[in-house]
Amino acid sequence: MVEFKDIVKTYDEKFQINIPHMVLNDNKIYGLLGHNGAGKTTTIRMLLGLLKPDCGTILIEGQDVFKSNKIKKDIGYIPDVPNLFEKLTGFEHLNFVSSLYGFNSKENIQYIEEFMELFEIEKDKDKIISSYSKGMKQKISIISALIIRPQILILDEPFTGLDPIAIQKFIGFLNNFINQEKRLILLSTHDLHIVDDICTDSLIMKNGQIISQINLKESKKNIIQDIFFKQLGNSGESI
Amino acid sequence: MKNILYSYCKLFAYRLNKIPKKYRLFLAGIICAIYIGLFYLLNHFVKMPLDMMVYYIVLFLTYMFFIYLPIKIYFDFFKQKKIELLFLSPVSLFSCFNFMYWKQILKLIFFAILLILPLLYKKVPLFFILFKYIPLISFYILFLYTIIFSVLSGLFLIFKKNIYQYIMLFIGTLEIVGFFLAYTIYGSRQVMGLHVMRNNLQSLVSKIKYDNHLLVGFICIDGILFLISWILYRQSYYKNDFMGSTGYNDMLSKGKKEPLNLVFVYKDFRYLIRDFMNYKYIVVTFLIFIYTLVYGKRNVNFKSVCVYLAIFISIFSFQYIIENVKNEKSKMDLYILSNMSIYKFFKQKIVANELFVGGMTFVLCIIISLLYKYSPYKICFLLFLSTCLTLVMVNILTYTVIGIEFVLMPKKITFNLVLKILKESLTAFVSLIFLNIGIEMYLFIGKKQFLWIKSIVLFLLIFVILKYSNKFTAKKFNKGFEVRNRKAENI
């Protein structure tokens, strides 16, 4: 469970992220939506402990994310732009990341290789990351987040650059992942269809604030599109 | 910290195991051969006194600490976001910082040891002298560690956002201040609050008198270090230029193609700031040369000044042209779209480079002339020499760099990598040759009469050849360029 308490983060005295109280429960996939610059990535970075809010706390399983390093072990993060050690090979990078999280057994290498096979990059595992295509880098970024066996997955535009087959496989993985005990996914995306298909709940952000939280499972199909355009003040029919 | 260390060790072991045994032996053989060669060269050709050698080594280390370290830390931490990768794992921010910092220090020490090692052959006392200065070097490490850590943390706390530019400015200032500080300390000049360092070096410094050897030696070390730091800087910096695009985008957004003026591109103050960041080292080099000149004026004769000027032009052209052409690479597609021929592009680049390098050299010449109160004849000669050399250097370098960057580089990815390495090595190697020629000329100029006349004749000859070969080379490049474009169209 993730809990935001009185979070305020101000930028340039003009833009402010303000989340007075918000709870994200286990076994749910939250779709975080909003226009460009609404504050989605900033919120995610605060949740990860990479950016400190001006005030307030973020609790993950009751522990403050800015005070406890151990809690980070349970969080897997896929950034919007892959952040990788470009000079390492794909396999080296994944092996290095899993070692950082304390996974050092031989079984772990097998685990990495299984993921590489799943995303069809096992042939390129010994190539340097800087020579990878955009999609391949994204795949490595996704695998890095998955091999650490996280309980919470935070995904910031994870489908960028992926081919349709990889997207399908990844969505399949996410559906399996959420069915396990105490798992949570926060997915930031602009693709409303994906949110409609896989998310259980949606969070819509506007100017740094969560303006609506909707349970999608109890709502009718494609409702998110109507709500999204209505909430953000654009019918989506013009142009 | 333990986790990161373990992961790095594991990675290193994995990489080592990946290299086949025969290649490992081959590599070891090459390293041994290089070292044996270096032992031989150093012990047969280097006749420098031992204390002088120690002096340069300590100077080198200090300088490396001042320049390499802040740059590397900046890029690893903020630019390449390596720290973010580590910090996402269950380790503290301080552990990340600590690890990254000491990793750089160890790398630096390792690099220094590699350089010092060949000197130890037959010169065992050198080792003891160096050993004596370990406390001093440790002091530098701690000193820098404290400064960098506190200033970066302070900036981070104060500004929170837009910190990159402040860090850039901070590092730039630190490097400039660092250089002058190091120079002042080793120049046995008293600096408040730094008496600890000064006392440690007092015995050594008392043996060394400020002379021409020092001047040349200093310029050499300066040049080498600038090249090393510059290569490092450039490779990391241009991966993702956060300062944004240039004025060319503005032109396109207006919907009309204005004639490209490659000399004056500063439409906005931001671009000037951006280019100052890019050409920071060049500015520093210029300042260093003036500084060195001011302090060396009583000891340097006219012929040495000519050589000094030649060294300046060589280093300066290298730094400026490679940086400048590299900047243009990202905008190459725009040039193609604007129907600008490669020949015109060459021409404009060469003129721009000649103007800039020539302008800076002219300023230096004037300063020299004023400082040394030269006769009009000498001033004219100095200007003539610098103009010739500037033209030669700019022509050679612009063609070489443009050729590599625009024609050869885009051919194949694997080939590209090899070329990239070759290009970097070549840059360092050629500049070293220039520096060596400079020293040789400097050391023997007093003995051999009319050498300068021969040099000028040679420069003129190269200049004439270059000017006539302009069109021919441009045509060749143009052809290569067309082939590349056709291939791209086919794809």
Side-chain angles (χ1 to χ4, degrees):
Chain A
M1 191 178 81
V2 176
E3 194 177 358
F4 288 75
K5 277 184 179 174
D6 306 317
I7 292 294
V8 177
K9 176 83 189 168
T10 311
Y11 277 120
D12 300 334
E13 295 171 1
K14 286 174 190 167
F15 182 75
Q16 192 182 59
I17 288 183
N18 194 348
I19 308 171
H21 188 248
M22 182 171 74
V23 177
L24 306 178
N25 291 310
D26 292 340
N27 300 100
K28 284 193 169 187
I29 304 179
Y30 289 90
L32 184 61
L33 301 164
H35 55 74
N36 295 329
K40 299 188 295 292
T41 302
T42 310
T43 309
I44 284 174
R45 287 176 71 80
M46 284 196 284
L47 175 57
L48 290 161
L50 292 173
L51 197 67
K52 261 196 169 179
D54 299 338
C55 65
T57 48
I58 298 171
L59 303 173
I60 297 176
E61 301 299 332
Q63 291 183 63
D64 192 336
V65 76
F66 297 105
K67 287 176 184 163
S68 170
N69 280 320
K70 283 179 187 170
I71 196 68
K72 287 195 282 181
K73 204 171 180 172
D74 297 329
I75 309 172
Y77 171 53
I78 301 168
D80 49 348
V81 180
N83 185 7
L84 310 163
F85 288 107
E86 299 264 336
K87 284 176 189 168
L88 301 186
T89 65
F91 182 78
E92 281 173 347
H93 175 84
L94 295 171
N95 202 4
F96 177 74
V97 170
S98 62
S99 299
L100 280 175
Y101 285 76
F103 297 108
N104 295 311
S105 62
K106 278 184 181 172
E107 288 78 35
N108 192 57
I109 291 175
Q110 206 181 332
Y111 193 59
I112 292 169
E113 281 171 343
E114 277 171 23
F115 268 111
M116 292 189 105
E117 266 175 49
L118 179 76
F119 284 97
E120 294 171 359
I121 45 168
E122 75 278 12
K123 282 177 194 166
D124 302 304
K125 69 172 192 173
D126 291 327
K127 283 183 184 168
I128 290 168
I129 290 177
S130 58
S131 70
Y132 281 10
S133 70
K134 191 184 172 187
M136 282 159 82
K137 281 183 185 172
Q138 187 63 12
K139 283 177 181 176
I140 293 287
S141 186
I142 291 170
I143 299 170
S144 319
L146 303 180
I147 49 161
I148 59 162
R149 299 155 178 91
Q151 290 200 328
I152 298 167
L153 254 182
I154 297 165
L155 322 171
D156 195 354
E157 295 287 350
F159 306 106
T160 320
L162 291 186
D163 57 80
I165 297 163
I167 291 176
Q168 210 173 24
K169 280 181 181 174
F170 186 41
I171 289 174
F173 178 86
L174 292 178
N175 284 324
N176 283 335
F177 175 85
I178 206 68
N179 289 330
Q180 291 164 46
E181 208 185 331
K182 274 195 165 185
R183 299 293 164 97
L184 191 156
I185 297 172
L186 178 65
L187 165 69
S188 165
T189 181
H190 291 292
D191 194 331
L192 299 177
H193 294 291
I194 283 179
V195 173
D196 217 38
D197 283 347
I198 65 166
C199 293
T200 56
D201 292 73
S202 79
L203 305 161
I204 299 178
M205 277 195 97
K206 187 180 181 182
N207 299 329
Q209 294 186 347
I210 304 284
I211 53 167
S212 76
Q213 187 169 353
I214 305 143
N215 189 328
L216 296 172
K217 291 292 160 198
E218 291 168 6
S219 315
K220 60 172 184 170
K221 195 86 179 155
N222 294 332
I223 192 169
I224 191 66
Q225 297 202 24
D226 300 334
I227 296 167
F228 183 82
F229 289 116
K230 206 174 177 182
Q231 295 275 7
L232 297 180
N234 190 335
S235 67
E237 288 164 3
S238 56
I239 307 169
Chain B
M1 179 87 168
K2 223 166 74 181
N3 239 9
I4 311 175
L5 208 65
Y6 177 77
S7 306
Y8 263 92
C9 291
K10 206 177 130 187
L11 184 73
F12 184 69
Y14 175 82
R15 285 209 139 176
L16 211 65
N17 282 332
K18 275 265 166 187
I19 305 169
K21 212 174 179 179
K22 59 176 180 181
Y23 285 113
R24 269 185 266 175
L25 284 169
F26 180 66
L27 271 172
I30 286 180
I31 292 165
C32 286
I34 290 169
Y35 266 84
I36 290 165
L38 275 172
F39 282 145
Y40 179 81
L41 285 172
L42 284 164
N43 288 289
H44 284 84
F45 294 101
V46 177
K47 306 286 178 204
M48 203 185 268
L50 204 61
D51 49 2
M52 189 68 95
M53 215 182 269
V54 175
Y55 171 78
Y56 286 133
I57 290 167
V58 176
L59 191 71
F60 173 77
L61 284 175
T62 317
Y63 205 63
M64 283 289 274
F65 283 135
F66 269 118
I67 284 199
Y68 173 75
L69 211 64
I71 296 166
K72 194 69 187 145
I73 285 178
Y74 165 70
F75 282 114
D76 283 358
F77 275 68
F78 299 99
K79 200 81 186 69
Q80 298 188 331
K81 293 188 175 175
K82 274 187 189 167
I83 193 146
E84 204 168 288
L85 261 171
L86 295 176
F87 187 50
L88 280 167
S89 66
V91 284
S92 70
L93 188 71
F94 184 75
S95 296
C96 296
F97 183 91
N98 230 359
F99 176 77
M100 300 291 273
Y101 183 85
W102 289 108
K103 196 182 124 192
Q104 297 314 327
I105 297 270
L106 280 175
K107 259 192 194 173
L108 211 59
I109 291 171
F110 180 69
F111 185 53
I113 288 170
L114 279 181
L115 285 171
I116 292 164
L117 217 59
L119 297 170
L120 297 179
Y121 176 72
K122 275 190 187 175
K123 289 189 171 66
V124 181
L126 183 79
F127 180 74
F128 294 106
I129 297 171
L130 275 171
F131 192 73
K132 219 172 90 181
Y133 291 101
I134 283 177
L136 176 79
I137 294 163
S138 316
F139 178 80
Y140 280 133
I141 296 170
L142 288 171
F143 177 70
L144 272 170
Y145 182 67
T146 321
I147 287 185
I148 294 166
F149 187 71
S150 47
V151 175
L152 288 187
S153 314
L155 284 169
F156 194 70
L157 287 171
I158 296 164
F159 297 108
K160 285 174 187 165
K161 209 190 162 198
N162 296 331
I163 189 172
Y164 299 116
Q165 280 137 34
Y166 292 102
I167 289 166
M168 286 287 274
L169 275 174
F170 162 68
I171 289 172
T173 321
L174 187 77
E175 282 158 20
I176 297 166
V177 172
F179 173 81
F180 287 117
L181 201 67
Y183 189 91
T184 321
I185 295 161
Y186 290 108
S188 74
R189 305 178 73 80
Q190 198 162 353
V191 179
M192 289 289 283
L194 290 164
H195 59 279
V196 182
M197 279 185 262
R198 195 171 57 81
N199 289 344
N200 269 329
L201 276 175
Q202 212 166 27
S203 58
L204 182 69
V205 170
S206 62
K207 290 175 192 168
I208 303 159
K209 282 172 186 166
Y210 190 82
D211 59 7
N212 295 344
H213 287 276
L214 183 67
L215 180 73
V216 178
F218 208 82
I219 293 164
C220 295
I221 292 168
D222 168 34
I224 296 162
L225 286 170
F226 264 112
L227 275 166
I228 293 166
S229 54
W230 172 77
I231 289 166
L232 277 167
Y233 176 82
R234 201 178 57 123
Q235 276 180 336
S236 336
Y237 187 77
Y238 286 104
K239 272 186 182 166
N240 37 8
D241 186 358
F242 62 88
M243 294 293 276
S245 58
T246 65
Y248 302 121
N249 283 351
D250 293 356
M251 288 178 204
L252 283 180
S253 64
K254 280 175 193 166
K256 55 177 180 180
K257 282 176 184 171
E258 290 173 17
L260 291 177
N261 187 348
L262 301 178
V263 184
F264 306 103
V265 290
Y266 302 117
K267 288 191 164 188
D268 193 321
F269 186 67
R270 278 180 303 151
Y271 304 141
L272 188 72
I273 294 284
R274 177 208 59 192
D275 282 3
F276 169 73
M277 297 297 189
N278 292 352
Y279 300 132
K280 187 177 62 182
Y281 291 108
I282 296 161
V283 176
V284 176
T285 306
F286 187 68
L287 289 173
I288 286 163
F289 269 86
I290 292 175
Y291 186 85
T292 322
L293 194 75
V294 173
Y295 279 92
K297 63 176 180 179
R298 285 179 193 170
N299 308 66
V300 183
N301 60 30
F302 181 69
K303 284 164 193 168
S304 301
V305 165
C306 294
V307 179
Y308 171 84
L309 210 62
I311 295 169
F312 170 78
I313 294 167
S314 310
I315 295 173
F316 200 75
S317 313
F318 252 105
Q319 285 182 329
Y320 179 72
I321 292 166
I322 296 174
E323 198 67 44
N324 184 260
V325 174
K326 186 79 188 166
N327 277 345
E328 300 298 329
K329 204 186 167 188
S330 57
K331 293 165 234 151
M332 198 57 212
D333 288 344
L334 278 170
Y335 294 132
I336 298 165
L337 290 170
S338 70
N339 283 330
M340 188 187 203
S341 74
I342 195 88
Y343 177 63
K344 203 173 173 189
F345 173 66
F346 278 159
K347 276 278 234 187
Q348 279 186 299
K349 273 286 98 190
I350 285 170
V351 171
N353 291 338
E354 277 172 355
L355 272 175
F356 189 79
V357 179
M360 294 307 250
T361 316
F362 180 76
V363 173
L364 200 71
C365 282
I366 297 300
I367 294 169
I368 291 170
S369 308
L370 290 172
L371 276 172
Y372 289 70
K373 291 172 187 161
Y374 281 150
S375 64
Y377 164 73
K378 276 186 176 174
I379 295 171
C380 286
F381 176 75
L382 215 58
L383 289 173
F384 173 70
L385 177 78
S386 58
T387 314
C388 285
L389 192 59
T390 304
L391 290 173
V392 171
M393 281 300 293
V394 168
N395 270 277
I396 294 174
L397 284 171
T398 313
Y399 275 109
T400 316
V401 174
I402 290 180
I404 290 171
E405 291 287 350
F406 294 101
V407 184
L408 290 173
M409 289 289 269
K411 277 191 175 170
K412 270 182 184 176
I413 295 167
T414 42
F415 185 55
N416 195 338
L417 195 73
V418 177
L419 265 175
K420 211 170 182 177
I421 297 162
L422 271 175
K423 196 190 73 185
E424 301 296 358
S425 324
L426 195 78
T427 314
F429 182 70
V430 174
S431 52
L432 279 175
I433 288 174
F434 270 114
L435 286 169
N436 278 329
I437 292 169
I439 301 162
E440 289 300 314
M441 281 173 78
Y442 175 78
L443 293 175
F444 292 103
I445 209 150
K447 295 172 191 168
K448 291 186 181 176
Q449 292 294 315
F450 307 116
L451 186 71
W452 56 277
I453 297 173
K454 285 178 198 168
S455 309
I456 290 165
V457 171
L458 187 72
F459 289 147
L460 281 172
L461 200 70
I462 298 167
F463 173 67
V464 171
I465 294 167
L466 271 170
K467 277 289 158 192
Y468 279 102
S469 63
N470 255 4
K471 254 188 175 162
F472 174 75
T473 329
K475 269 182 188 170
K476 280 271 174 204
F477 281 150
N478 226 354
K479 208 177 169 187
F481 210 64
E482 279 165 14
V483 170
R484 185 172 79 88
N485 288 348
R486 268 204 300 279
K487 272 184 189 170
E489 275 169 18
N490 290 338
I491 290 160

